[in-house]
Amino acid sequence: MATIPFLQLQAFLAVARAQSFSGAARELGVSRSAVSQSVRQLEEELGVVLVARTTRSVALTDAGRRLLDAVGPAFAQTRAALDEVAAKPGEVVGRVRLTVPRAAFDFVIEPVLPTFRERHPRIQLEIIFEDRRVDIVREGYDAGIRLSEFVERDMVSVRLTDAFRFVVVGAPSYLEKHGAPQRPEDLLHHECLTFRSETTGSLYAWELERGRKTWRIPVRGSVVTNEGLFCIRWAEQGLGLSYMYEPLVAEQIRTGRLVRVLEPYAASVPGFFLYYPSRTQRSEPLRLFIETVREHAAQHTAAAKSKSSR
């Protein structure tokens, strides 16, 4: 091979990340046909099929996965190096690509983003909101944000929030009509706004605890979604009970639009963490992002302690 097919590799890696040609085209700012042509040219040059295409889906072949594993990290480092060379003295240029659960927007992204953009205008933040399990190395992410239970042990993790609870909430109108559950098992007889996991495709069982005893209740209801945040609105409308991070419904609880039920059984989790593969692989843009989120987390913790001491 006389020359490195840079543009074709870029298109292939974008398809691998987005798992679609349309998504890759949006990422690269070109047409879908241009992406398809670039991938086809790469396949012809290598003499192998890299992407299995059907009318409904796109998936990497074994050869495609091997190429992704071998070339993906090196390609990202090359792009970062080119960005760094183009930067002015003392200026950091680059990209931070994050996978983030939608519920973490209010906790982390919204408060951190303005400060980070003001300090580092030449660093591009690419934030993919998704709730599935993600292999951040294979899929080309610099870092991820998840609850601690979803962070692999070989990752470096940075705490972003304090611990919080999962609570079951309902509107006063629903509770007046159907009554409030008194035990976890009672949820089986209630209309529950249910969430389908993007990772497993199964309905999420609500987890409760009291002391050392735990429950996983396979709740059911007439409304199923893959976007848990909508359940807050539907619960306010009296359509059923919802299971949610307590900080996300704090305002609704304070104003009486939602009421906690089964509070003695509310399960606690350690909170949200930012995680990435290793300190040796950490880029300068990622280091600066981590610095900003740590600063925000420290300020949030100090404010919370000050508020609680009043």
Side-chain angles (χ1 to χ4, degrees):
M1 191 178 297
T3 59
I4 297 175
F6 189 86
L7 294 178
Q8 287 83 1
L9 279 171
Q10 184 181 40
F12 164 72
L13 293 172
V15 171
R17 285 193 296 268
Q19 297 183 346
S20 79
F21 283 87
S22 297
R26 287 192 295 270
E27 177 184 329
L28 298 175
V30 299
S31 67
R32 185 184 185 284
S33 61
V35 172
S36 180
Q37 182 178 1
S38 292
V39 172
R40 190 176 299 108
Q41 289 173 348
L42 182 61
E43 290 176 324
E44 290 174 355
E45 188 157 358
L46 296 176
V48 295
V49 176
L50 300 172
V51 181
R53 310 159 176 84
T54 71
T55 56
R56 296 186 177 182
S57 65
V58 168
L60 298 185
T61 63
D62 288 341
R65 283 191 289 271
R66 290 198 302 272
L67 182 62
L68 173 62
D69 291 341
V71 175
F75 192 90
Q77 291 174 3
T78 300
R79 181 167 52 190
L82 292 173
D83 289 339
E84 187 175 344
V85 168
K88 298 177 182 177
E91 182 182 51
V92 177
V93 177
R95 183 182 72 157
V96 177
R97 190 166 188 262
L98 301 170
T99 169
V100 181
R102 296 173 181 91
F105 174 79
D106 292 328
F107 289 87
V108 182
I109 301 302
E110 185 175 39
V112 168
L113 187 57
T115 302
F116 185 77
R117 293 295 302 130
E118 181 178 358
R119 292 178 181 175
H120 310 291
R122 295 290 303 281
I123 297 178
Q124 180 189 55
L125 270 182
E126 181 176 345
I127 305 167
I128 310 300
F129 288 100
E130 53 193 348
D131 292 302
R132 64 185 178 89
R133 284 185 180 272
V134 175
D135 184 333
I136 62 174
V137 175
R138 177 181 289 274
E139 298 188 36
Y141 289 99
D142 296 293
I145 295 174
R146 289 294 187 274
L147 294 176
S148 60
E149 63 189 277
F150 298 110
V151 179
E152 300 294 339
R153 292 185 178 182
D154 60 348
M155 293 287 167
V156 179
S157 61
V158 178
R159 175 179 288 278
L160 300 179
T161 71
D162 294 329
F164 51 80
R165 302 190 304 174
F166 279 85
V167 293
V168 181
V169 293
S173 60
Y174 176 89
L175 298 175
E176 288 174 10
K177 184 175 182 180
H178 301 281
Q182 301 301 314
R183 301 175 304 165
E185 296 85 353
D186 295 342
L187 291 171
L188 296 172
H189 307 292
H190 278 266
E191 181 71 18
C192 297
L193 300 166
T194 53
F195 175 82
R196 188 175 298 282
S197 168
E198 293 182 14
T199 300
T200 65
S202 60
L203 294 179
Y204 184 75
W206 292 4
E207 300 178 33
L208 299 102
E209 62 185 33
R210 189 170 190 177
R212 295 184 177 181
K213 188 172 182 180
T214 61
W215 291 261
R216 285 180 57 85
I217 307 299
V219 297
R220 293 293 182 268
S222 301
V223 178
V224 179
T225 181
N226 70 334
E227 177 49 89
L229 295 179
F230 289 138
C231 294
I232 298 175
R233 299 182 188 177
W234 295 330
E236 287 185 71
Q237 296 170 0
L239 298 182
L241 300 177
S242 180
Y243 182 79
M244 193 59 56
Y245 306 150
E246 191 170 27
L248 286 179
V249 291
E251 178 63 18
Q252 288 87 342
I253 292 172
R254 187 187 67 81
T255 58
R257 303 199 303 274
L258 290 174
V259 177
R260 282 180 292 243
V261 298
L262 296 173
E263 189 170 4
Y265 300 92
S268 296
V269 293
F272 280 113
F273 290 78
L274 180 142
Y275 63 99
Y276 55 95
S278 72
R279 288 183 172 85
T280 58
Q281 296 181 35
R282 186 177 64 181
S283 66
E284 182 65 7
L286 178 59
R287 185 191 69 77
L288 293 172
F289 182 76
I290 293 171
E291 180 181 279
T292 306
V293 297
R294 275 182 163 157
E295 180 182 315
H296 165 73
Q299 292 173 349
H300 178 77
T301 299
K305 289 181 179 178
S306 175
K307 186 176 180 180
S308 63
S309 64
R310 292 175 185 173

